[in-house]
Structures are given as C-alpha cells and as structure tokens.
Amino acid sequence: MTINALLKKSIAEFLGVLMFLSSIVAAVANSGSDRFAAHVALAATLGLAILLTAGVSGGHLNPAVSLYFYAKKAISLSELGAYIVAQLAGALVGAFIGAQIVGKSLTGFTTSSAAPSAAAIIGELFATGGLVFLVGYLAANKLGNLIPAAVGLWVMAAAGFTITGAQANPAVSFGLSIVGQAFDFSAWIVIAQLVGGAIAMVFLQVFAAKPAKVAKKVAAKKKK
C-alpha cells in the first residue's frame, strides 16, 4: 500500500502531538502537588516523539516550529496547512486519551472572563521563543540530531519557571481547551506563543544566518 508523502508526514505529526498531549494531561493529573515528575515525563515523551517523527515529517509537532520552517522555505504552504491541521487534531485526540487514562472529565470548549496575567503571557512568549530559537539554531548549524534532547530539556526547564507550565505550543494550548483550560484563555496564550516565535525568527537572523554569510565572504576572499 502506497501512502501519499504529505499524508504520511501529516500522520506522523498527528501521532507525535497525540503522544505529547496524552502525557501532559495524564502526567499532570497524576503528579498532584509534585510537578517535577510530570515535567520529566512530558519532556521525555516530547523528546521521544520528535525522535520518532523526525525522519518522516521533520518532527515539528508544533505550529510555531512549522511556521518557522515555512518562513525558511523548508516546507511549502500546503505542507504548512496539513501539518497544522494534523497537529491540532492530534492535540484534541491526545487530550482525550490522556483524560481517559486518568479518569479526568472532559469540559469541552468553555470560556472565562479571566484573561491571562502578564506573567502568563510573558512566560509563554519566552518559552515558545526559546524553543523556536533552539530548533532553528541547531537546524541551521547542522546539529539537528540534538533537537529531540535539547527541546525536551528546554520544555522541562521552562515548565519549572513559568506559571503556565510552558505550554510553548499552540497545539498544546488548543488541546488543553477540552480538559479545563478556557478557550479564550488559550487564545491569548496562543497569540503570545506566536509572537514569541516571531521574535525568535528575528534573533535567528543574527545568530544563525549572519555567521553563514560571514563565512561565505571569508571563503570568497581566500579564493582571490
């Protein structure tokens, strides 16, 4: 049976996000007041999910990361659209599975009059920006083999210093909207994440793109 290449990539993204959301919902529910074990579990799951899907789809598992690679022209617009749809669908199914594992009730898409605090917004902006920067920097320097471990460690660290648990992923925030996180709250968090990703792209132009241009100029001078 031959599977269309884009469909194969989309399935990989769907399954990778599904794994991650399942671990988030179940681990947080089981951790009680001790969140360190939950942070380790979800970081390990994310790292493994990226490792397993990297050879098929690139292991984005995050709309902010997919947007970065689209901006770099590494994926097409049709791939971007397919990836994001697959990631959001995987988030919903993953959140559902995680809830079933721990017997947690689904709330559906509810709303709340409470907007995220400045701390929540800044935390998500920083966590997502750091993640996108890390992925972009390692990819630009041909260190992609380090991305699964590096992203897992970053998420675990950021989960410890942000009040939102470093969702750092629009698909994650979307998925959590059916297990207790208000949909409008998630929307504000997603905006912060996308802004963080955009800022990271600007910094990557300095720390990743510029050195490459300098190296080309040096090589050109040597030839002369």
PDB file of all heavy atoms in Angstrom, residues 8-9 72 133:
ATOM      1  N   LYS A   8       1.550  10.935   4.743  1.00  0.00           N
ATOM      2  CA  LYS A   8       2.444  10.228   5.659  1.00  0.00           C
ATOM      3  C   LYS A   8       3.042  11.197   6.684  1.00  0.00           C
ATOM      4  O   LYS A   8       3.107  10.905   7.883  1.00  0.00           O
ATOM      5  CB  LYS A   8       3.552   9.551   4.854  1.00  0.00           C
ATOM      6  CG  LYS A   8       4.440   8.617   5.655  1.00  0.00           C
ATOM      7  CD  LYS A   8       5.429   7.907   4.733  1.00  0.00           C
ATOM      8  CE  LYS A   8       6.297   6.938   5.525  1.00  0.00           C
ATOM      9  NZ  LYS A   8       7.256   6.230   4.635  1.00  0.00           N
ATOM     10  N   LYS A   9       3.460  12.360   6.207  1.00  0.00           N
ATOM     11  CA  LYS A   9       4.018  13.375   7.109  1.00  0.00           C
ATOM     12  C   LYS A   9       2.959  13.867   8.087  1.00  0.00           C
ATOM     13  O   LYS A   9       3.239  14.062   9.279  1.00  0.00           O
ATOM     14  CB  LYS A   9       4.560  14.550   6.291  1.00  0.00           C
ATOM     15  CG  LYS A   9       5.780  14.220   5.449  1.00  0.00           C
ATOM     16  CD  LYS A   9       6.199  15.421   4.610  1.00  0.00           C
ATOM     17  CE  LYS A   9       7.401  15.097   3.743  1.00  0.00           C
ATOM     18  NZ  LYS A   9       7.815  16.247   2.912  1.00  0.00           N
ATOM     19  N   LYS A  72      11.411  29.809   6.421  1.00  0.00           N
ATOM     20  CA  LYS A  72      12.724  29.481   5.860  1.00  0.00           C
ATOM     21  C   LYS A  72      12.607  28.767   4.519  1.00  0.00           C
ATOM     22  O   LYS A  72      13.605  28.370   3.928  1.00  0.00           O
ATOM     23  CB  LYS A  72      13.496  28.593   6.834  1.00  0.00           C
ATOM     24  CG  LYS A  72      13.843  29.249   8.156  1.00  0.00           C
ATOM     25  CD  LYS A  72      14.848  30.377   7.996  1.00  0.00           C
ATOM     26  CE  LYS A  72      16.212  29.889   7.609  1.00  0.00           C
ATOM     27  NZ  LYS A  72      17.188  30.986   7.500  1.00  0.00           N
ATOM     28  N   PHE A 133      13.854  29.297  18.791  1.00  0.00           N
ATOM     29  CA  PHE A 133      15.245  29.691  18.597  1.00  0.00           C
ATOM     30  C   PHE A 133      16.169  28.473  18.676  1.00  0.00           C
ATOM     31  O   PHE A 133      17.080  28.314  17.858  1.00  0.00           O
ATOM     32  CB  PHE A 133      15.668  30.723  19.642  1.00  0.00           C
ATOM     33  CG  PHE A 133      17.101  31.162  19.493  1.00  0.00           C
ATOM     34  CD1 PHE A 133      17.423  32.202  18.629  1.00  0.00           C
ATOM     35  CD2 PHE A 133      18.116  30.532  20.193  1.00  0.00           C
ATOM     36  CE1 PHE A 133      18.742  32.607  18.462  1.00  0.00           C
ATOM     37  CE2 PHE A 133      19.430  30.920  20.026  1.00  0.00           C
ATOM     38  CZ  PHE A 133      19.750  31.959  19.166  1.00  0.00           C
TER      39      PHE A 133
END
